[in-house]
Amino acid sequence: MDLVLTRNDVAGRYGGQDWQRVVFSEFDAALTSKSRPFPCVFGVAGFKTDRLRFAFPEPLTPETLAPILRSYLAQARGIGAMTSLVIFARPTPVDTLEAYRDQFWDLLDGLVALDDSPQPEGVSRNLDDPTWEFSFGGEPIFVVCNTPAHVLRQSRRSSSFMITFQPRWVFNGITDSKAPSITRSLDRVRELLSEYDMLAPSPTLGHYGDPANREYQQYFIDDTNETPACPYHQLGKPPLKLVKEG
């Protein structure tokens, strides 16, 4: 059985009442809405051109997620620009944002602990560093988490716990481009975020490599615009996990 699915695979494998089809249908509706355009224009473009891939591991653990991520990374460059891997968990009663944040970081920590690939050159292991990025299989990957607990920040809301993995190379020619068309697209993302969410775009949104930027702050953005604390010194090394305040 394929570990990574196309949108047509999802429709062919799951029936209308299956939880996988239900959460995927909501995702589909959000990204294709004409009356309420989804802010990430690049993700929308990737979905419409069938470059996104999907998986529904059950249960969602580092052990079930690792082979899926490996399979995706092995084929990602062949899929092309604007590709991402979207992971959906089975819906459960809504928990707190804090609980989902812990679940998210524990998953990433567990994935790194299972990964024996060398650290990508130039990518720091220290989260509190402008060159840090989550890495797996030798690939730096930008990660985004959506949850059912997000209310004010609708762009990060989903009916199930959801994680999107975007290889760092998909941003080549986008975040580092001065082309007018790309600049207009990035401005459009900001404009749509302001319209889509019920609070201003997070001040933590920035560009990879900028000395003031910290990638981990953009992975899990909650319903406030407060700067999140660094959850770990390094991933994959449990003794270095920071003690949470309070």
Side-chain angles (χ1 to χ4, degrees):
M1 180 179 292
D2 293 335
L3 296 176
V4 179
L5 307 177
T6 66
R7 58 191 301 185
N8 287 334
D9 292 335
V10 175
R13 181 171 297 184
Y14 302 110
Q17 299 302 312
D18 292 335
W19 71 264
Q20 295 93 338
R21 187 71 172 274
V22 172
V23 297
F24 181 80
S25 295
E26 182 198 61
F27 178 86
D28 185 327
L31 265 66
T32 59
S33 175
K34 294 181 179 179
S35 60
R36 194 165 179 257
F38 192 75
C40 184
V41 298
F42 303 105
V44 170
F47 184 65
K48 290 182 176 179
T49 56
D50 200 25
R51 295 181 181 182
L52 303 191
R53 295 296 181 265
F54 309 94
F56 308 84
E58 190 176 7
L60 175 54
T61 65
E63 291 73 20
T64 60
L65 185 50
I68 294 170
L69 189 52
R70 289 192 189 99
S71 178
Y72 168 72
L73 291 174
Q75 59 185 278
R77 291 183 183 274
I79 298 171
M82 300 187 200
T83 183
S84 299
L85 172 65
V86 184
I87 301 294
F88 299 92
R90 174 185 278 274
T92 59
V94 179
D95 211 329
T96 65
L97 277 170
E98 291 74 16
Y100 287 124
R101 182 188 293 111
D102 287 346
Q103 181 182 0
F104 170 72
W105 282 109
D106 286 348
L107 278 168
L108 294 194
D109 183 52
L111 284 171
V112 172
L114 293 172
D115 185 27
D116 57 4
S117 300
Q119 182 76 356
E121 185 177 355
V123 178
S124 175
R125 291 185 181 275
N126 179 7
L127 272 71
D128 192 19
D129 186 289
T131 67
W132 179 86
E133 190 82 279
F134 169 76
S135 299
F136 190 85
E139 286 279 6
I141 307 169
F142 185 74
V143 191
V144 172
C145 186
N146 293 57
T147 82
H150 282 86
V151 176
L152 300 180
R153 202 176 300 281
Q154 288 285 296
S155 59
R156 291 293 180 114
R157 188 204 167 275
S158 61
S159 60
S160 74
F161 183 78
M162 185 180 98
I163 305 177
T164 302
F165 294 90
Q166 299 171 286
R168 168 51 52 188
W169 55 260
V170 306
F171 298 100
N172 294 342
I174 297 179
T175 57
D176 58 350
S177 174
K178 301 297 182 182
S181 60
I182 297 297
T183 299
R184 286 194 297 270
S185 293
L186 292 172
D187 288 344
R188 181 59 175 158
V189 170
R190 286 274 183 171
E191 178 185 336
L192 289 173
L193 271 175
S194 297
E195 297 172 357
Y196 204 84
D197 292 340
M198 289 181 273
L199 72 170
S202 172
T204 64
L205 296 176
H207 297 293
Y208 180 72
D210 185 314
N213 181 67
R214 296 294 184 271
E215 289 289 281
Y216 77 86
Q217 296 177 350
Q218 304 176 62
Y219 285 15
F220 193 106
I221 303 178
D222 62 19
D223 270 357
T224 74
N225 276 335
E226 297 177 3
T227 301
C230 189
Y232 286 79
H233 285 301
Q234 295 182 13
L235 296 180
K237 298 181 180 296
L240 293 178
K241 184 174 181 179
L242 294 179
V243 176
K244 295 185 176 67
E245 296 181 357

